[in-house]
Amino acid sequence: MRRTAVVVTALCTALALPVPASAAPPGSGVAPSLQRNLVAYYDFEHPVPANPAVERDRGRSHTDMWLVNGGAAMREHDRGGHVLRTRQVSPTALGNDDWKAGSYDAAGMESLHRFNAARQASVLGWFKVVGEAPALNTNTADPADRYNAVGLAGVLTGDSDGHAVRALLEVIDVSGELRVVALGRRVDGGSSQTFAADQDWQAVLPPGEWVFLAATFDYDTGEMALYKNGRPLDGFYTVAGDPWLVDGPPEPDVTTASDPRGIKIGGSFPQNNVERNPCDCRMDDLMFLDRALSPGEVFRQYAAER
């Protein structure tokens, strides 16, 4: 959408026509059917003027995002504009300096109230792996140990310490193999469920290549789905039975009636007290919705931004 805007502006200038105004929040480039449920949206083109280490939320919640440890330097040029860069800075246990992003409030973030007692959710965005993954584990004494996951983007639970999530996109070890997954939790402190892509994670996220990923969560039916570049990914659930406890009354099933403690991007603990699962990545147009998008909506959003 950014490249399109540049072309339109240049054409209008050449023809002496008025340049069309940019779309109003929740943001240009968002398919119309998504806008009503777009809780949070970050395009990394809107730093807070008084503090460039904070990114404006272009969604409906106005949950601004902190660019942790790297500040304004975490905005890099790519995809015709600015994108977010996250990475491990020091591979030793001595520092707490990973570049990551997010928001956190131990009392719960009222701005994210639409994920309180939510029936559904979606997490989507553009991702490019630009470095080694998974990263070296800075929380163990073994200098060769690596984390078992790579954090992408997720919404925290209402009791989260900065790691536990309600809805998450990530890469994680599943039975000895790294896979792209959707990981969800309906009840705070309860069991999670994971839907893992059948393909090897690097087939889904080839190094150095921009990929549009989406994960959807239906807390009433227990269903999750993954998408790459607008198309559904075949996959499997990793936990047998009913980990979300959705069978039987009462209906419908929803998440715990608690406001999420925040959002995490490119690794856990956005409050910056611990390092875990950093992503040496670039990210863009991150969206968090309180509805499970249909396959057609995911494809239309991919097409709108492609």
Side-chain angles (χ1 to χ4, degrees):
M1 294 303 294
R2 297 171 188 153
R3 297 184 185 90
T4 301
V6 171
V7 172
V8 170
T9 300
L11 180 61
C12 290
T13 301
L15 298 177
L17 297 174
V19 177
S22 59
S28 60
V30 180
S33 70
L34 275 61
Q35 294 195 12
R36 182 176 180 179
N37 297 95
L38 190 61
V39 180
Y41 168 42
Y42 307 96
D43 63 5
F44 305 103
E45 302 291 350
H46 296 86
V48 173
N51 187 354
V54 180
E55 176 69 19
R56 285 267 190 239
D57 175 13
R58 300 267 287 166
R60 296 183 177 275
S61 74
H62 305 294
T63 305
D64 292 343
M65 173 188 293
W66 287 89
L67 309 187
V68 180
N69 289 319
M74 295 171 64
R75 289 187 189 86
E76 296 187 349
H77 289 279
D78 204 337
R79 297 190 70 234
H82 290 96
V83 301
L84 175 69
R85 176 64 190 278
T86 61
R87 65 185 179 94
Q88 183 177 71
V89 174
S90 173
T92 72
L94 300 177
N96 188 31
D97 51 9
D98 288 351
W99 284 14
K100 52 192 173 184
S103 55
Y104 187 82
D105 187 336
M109 301 198 71
E110 187 177 355
S111 62
L112 297 175
H113 184 74
R114 287 172 64 169
F115 292 114
N116 179 318
R119 191 169 177 174
Q120 297 178 339
S122 295
V123 178
L124 51 158
W126 289 86
F127 303 90
K128 179 165 75 170
V129 178
V130 295
E132 194 172 22
L136 290 169
N137 190 340
T138 59
N139 296 310
T140 64
D142 183 355
D145 189 30
R146 292 187 179 272
Y147 293 105
N148 74 335
V150 181
L152 297 178
V155 179
L156 302 178
T157 60
D159 62 350
S160 180
D161 59 353
H163 182 66
V165 290
R166 195 164 282 173
L168 174 70
L169 262 172
E170 74 171 349
V171 177
I172 195 170
D173 186 304
V174 177
S175 300
E177 294 189 33
L178 288 170
R179 299 184 185 274
V180 174
V181 306
L183 188 152
R185 179 177 286 102
R186 188 178 75 83
V187 179
D188 287 0
S191 297
S192 65
Q193 175 63 287
T194 300
F195 182 78
D198 284 339
Q199 299 180 60
D200 176 80
W201 80 277
Q202 289 187 318
V204 179
L205 273 173
E209 181 178 317
W210 280 106
V211 175
F212 180 76
L213 292 180
T216 62
F217 308 80
D218 190 319
Y219 300 106
D220 187 27
T221 65
E223 295 177 330
M224 292 187 285
L226 281 169
Y227 300 83
K228 173 190 176 180
N229 292 342
R231 304 292 187 183
L233 287 169
D234 292 333
F236 59 96
Y237 292 97
T238 66
V239 182
D242 181 25
W244 284 358
L245 305 177
V246 298
D247 292 342
E251 298 292 347
D253 295 290
V254 296
T255 65
T256 298
S258 62
D259 293 339
R261 288 188 174 181
I263 289 173
K264 66 176 185 177
I265 308 294
S268 293
F269 303 100
Q271 70 271 43
N272 202 32
N273 62 339
V274 183
E275 295 180 339
R276 191 175 303 173
N277 302 337
C279 182
D280 198 346
C281 299
R282 286 179 169 178
M283 307 181 188
D284 199 16
D285 290 324
L286 302 179
M287 302 182 186
F288 303 84
L289 299 96
D290 64 346
R291 181 169 63 81
L293 300 182
S294 69
E297 288 177 310
V298 173
F299 182 79
R300 285 191 291 274
Q301 182 57 42
Y302 163 67
E305 291 192 88
R306 180 180 55 182

